[in-house]
Amino acid sequence: MTDVLIVGAGPTGLTLACDLARRGIGVRIVDRSAEHPRSSRAKGPNQRSLEVFAALGIVDEVLASGSTPPPMRKYRDGVAVADTDPFAGAAPTPSAPYDRPWLIAQWRLEEILRARLAGLGVEVERAAEVVALTQDGDTVTATLSGGGTVTARYAVGCDGAHSPVRKLLGIPFTGTTAEQQAMVCGDVEIAGGTLDRARWHQWFDADGGVMLCPVPGTRAGWWFQASPERDRAGLPLAPTEEGFARLFARHTRLPADRLSRATLLSTYRVSVRLAERFRSGRVFLAGDAAHVHPIAGGLGMNTGVQDAFNLGWKLAHALRGAPAELLDSYEEERLPVAARTLDLTSERLTAVLAAITRPGAGLETALAPGADGLATSYRWSTLAPAASGPLAGASPQAGDRAPDAPCLDGATGTPTTLFRAFAGPHTTLLGFGPGAGAALSAAEAAYGDAVAVHRIAPADRGGGTGTLVDHAGHVADAYTAPGADGGRVVVVRPDHHIGLVAPADRPEEVLAHLARLHGNAAA
């Protein structure tokens, strides 16, 4: 028997598997595809997903394997009319080190995640389709198409919009699919010298359009998206290489033979659907199995990655004795985020469709506040008690994303960051003010290596072991608490959201919160 069975080896399933495996949790991950997919599909991680990948130890490889999103070149009637770079003014800040999403082929991102997972001792099991699920009070058993079974303490369906796991659980997937609102997609090659690979080319005409985005790491590879050809009844035709060549020639006014090797063709239809619940007993849903969004803003894959980062530590803690209700907080926190994302992407799609009727407008219209994922908060969660008294004005508050900040290791003087302090399978405690020491010591004594404690010291008050020196004041800027002169303790959950902001003189409040996250003793 394994601890967790993950069904589906896309970015969501692989992120979850990596997070669990690095925590020492037994994982099996199965996928019904016989081979690893090679589609470029999703354009890549947003800023919050890059923070997740940093925590998993793969962000440097992700950045090296991709590129910054290229400026968008818009055409009308085959003529270039505008170049737009939505991220031209963006820059990293001390609290947010990634200032833009990253362009990377999905197949390459999955390769990086699989390599990380293999380094943790877990391989994806291919050609393994789940055809039945049963569960009792302690386990869930999956029957595979080959006749074998897998028994686990928990299972997670990360198996896409047509999720067999969701269907086996009988969970409704409510919403709509616009059959006529379609787009054909695929990987293509464009002859060298035809198009500038430093641009994302977008041709929008009155009768449709074509978009070609260069795939990083390839010589002639492009991701092709277009309004489909239609039959006499107006119904979308299935994508073919010949059809792609005709669409390319029609909208770009370039020779059709410039396009070749169209592979992994698919038809995308606008769907807005949300699972009625994200949990049934010992089985959970994540990613497209739980929610599908309009493509505008590129939030589908990113929402799934962040589902996984929310769920992973909770499963690990539950397996090691945390209160059972900790697992209830997954749906409590992530279902509202998914619902809000459905609204945001639907609104952005409407805005894009209106914008592209005007020469010079394009997909930059899809970008909106919230698309970077950095503002996602769980303030409504039962795991996010509101601060009171002088800490009521603290920022960030419980539930919010914990910001980064550069600082110095108090023992060595080496430059470091809060994100480096957070990274790893632990809960982090930050102590502000001289009175925080007692709460930090009590937490460390009770929970050992399950927590990492750090005293935040101003530049003029020295360092020492267990201290992070706020030499440039960026920690103070990111973590403010007007009027809290008595000091405070900030608990940062393993998914890098604030769990608690408590007065320094209330170690019992800190310990009670840690018990909700970990149980009553160190795991």
Side-chain angles (χ1 to χ4, degrees):
M1 184 171 71
T2 192
D3 290 325
V4 180
L5 168 66
I6 299 171
V7 184
T12 299
L14 289 168
T15 297
L16 179 60
C18 288
D19 196 27
L20 288 167
R22 74 183 179 128
R23 298 177 187 281
I25 300 300
V27 177
R28 288 183 67 178
I29 179 169
V30 302
D31 194 283
R32 58 183 169 181
S33 299
E35 298 180 352
H36 300 310
R38 293 289 298 179
S39 173
S40 298
R41 291 200 295 176
K43 297 291 191 306
N46 65 9
Q47 293 90 318
R48 178 56 177 162
S49 291
L50 288 172
E51 294 180 356
V52 172
F53 294 148
L56 295 180
I58 62 170
V59 74
D60 289 343
E61 192 169 3
V62 169
L63 295 175
S65 297
S67 69
T68 185
M72 301 175 184
R73 176 161 291 171
K74 277 69 66 72
Y75 301 77
R76 181 70 63 164
D77 299 324
V79 177
V81 295
D83 278 12
T84 303
D85 184 353
F87 304 104
T93 66
S95 64
Y98 306 105
D99 64 334
R100 63 196 65 205
W102 208 245
L103 182 65
I104 181 173
Q106 185 168 322
W107 59 262
R108 178 62 185 130
L109 176 60
E110 291 178 0
E111 279 186 346
I112 294 170
L113 284 162
R114 285 197 303 271
R116 172 65 170 137
L117 186 59
L120 294 165
V122 180
E123 299 281 351
V124 176
E125 301 173 41
R126 289 281 168 194
E129 182 176 5
V130 173
V131 296
L133 280 172
T134 59
Q135 50 181 317
D136 56 29
D138 299 310
T139 62
V140 55
T141 299
T143 302
L144 305 180
S145 53
T149 61
V150 179
T151 300
R153 297 283 301 281
Y154 297 99
V156 186
C158 306
D159 48 345
H162 301 288
S163 171
V165 169
R166 187 189 65 243
K167 293 174 182 177
L168 289 168
L169 295 172
I171 295 177
F173 202 37
T174 56
T176 60
T177 298
E179 295 295 336
Q180 297 301 309
Q181 201 171 16
M183 178 170 61
V184 290
C185 313
D187 285 282
V188 303
E189 289 191 1
I190 303 295
T194 304
L195 295 171
D196 181 0
R197 287 186 62 84
R199 295 290 183 270
W200 181 359
H201 301 271
Q202 303 168 14
W203 294 265
F204 296 117
D205 298 321
D207 62 343
V210 163
M211 294 173 283
L212 280 164
C213 185
V215 178
T218 65
R219 178 185 57 82
W222 296 76
W223 178 238
F224 178 99
Q225 297 167 284
S227 48
E229 296 183 303
R230 295 181 182 270
D231 63 17
R232 292 181 179 178
L235 299 176
L237 293 174
T240 64
E241 182 171 326
E242 295 77 14
F244 275 21
R246 288 190 295 268
L247 288 166
F248 174 79
R250 180 193 305 168
H251 294 290
T252 69
R253 278 67 166 180
L254 295 169
D257 63 4
R258 301 277 85 189
L259 182 149
S260 63
R261 295 179 59 84
T263 59
L264 298 166
L265 312 185
S266 63
T267 298
Y268 167 81
R269 289 178 171 83
V270 175
S271 290
V272 182
R273 293 187 178 274
L274 183 65
E276 190 173 276
R277 56 190 187 279
F278 286 10
R279 180 185 185 184
S280 178
R282 291 184 165 268
V283 186
F284 299 81
L285 300 176
D288 286 355
H291 43 77
V292 291
H293 316 271
I295 199 170
L299 292 176
M301 181 194 76
N302 287 289
T303 306
V305 165
Q306 292 153 40
D307 286 345
F309 202 50
N310 182 286
L311 179 59
W313 69 274
K314 295 174 181 178
L315 283 169
H317 286 197
L319 286 161
R320 290 175 170 158
E325 56 265 27
L326 178 65
L327 292 176
D328 295 334
S329 70
Y330 169 65
E331 177 180 299
E332 178 191 17
E333 293 181 348
R334 292 305 297 172
L335 194 151
V337 170
R340 188 168 64 243
T341 303
L342 291 178
D343 292 339
L344 174 64
T345 53
S346 296
E347 186 272 329
R348 287 294 92 198
L349 178 62
T350 300
V352 168
L353 294 176
I356 61 178
T357 64
R358 305 187 301 271
L363 297 190
E364 70 279 1
T365 315
L367 300 174
D372 58 12
L374 300 181
T376 297
S377 176
Y378 309 125
R379 291 189 185 185
W380 62 83
S381 172
T382 54
L383 293 183
S388 59
L391 293 178
S395 178
Q397 296 181 24
D400 294 349
R401 163 191 168 272
D404 195 12
C407 46
L408 302 176
D409 183 300
T412 65
T414 304
T416 187
T417 67
L418 289 185
F419 274 8
R420 288 178 190 155
F422 301 161
H426 55 255
T427 299
T428 306
L429 280 74
L430 304 178
F432 295 82
L440 298 183
S441 296
E444 194 168 32
Y447 288 92
D449 292 341
V451 300
V453 301
H454 302 278
R455 182 173 62 86
I456 305 300
D460 60 351
R461 296 188 186 174
T465 301
T467 298
L468 297 174
V469 178
D470 187 17
H471 64 296
H474 292 305
V475 179
D477 290 342
Y479 292 79
T480 64
D485 296 335
R488 66 197 189 283
V489 174
V490 176
V491 178
V492 181
R493 304 177 349 176
D495 60 353
H496 304 181
H497 279 260
I498 303 297
L500 178 73
V501 181
D505 60 356
R506 296 184 194 170
E508 71 283 356
E509 189 173 331
V510 174
L511 292 175
H513 185 74
L514 291 176
R516 298 188 68 194
L517 305 186
H518 293 270
N520 290 321

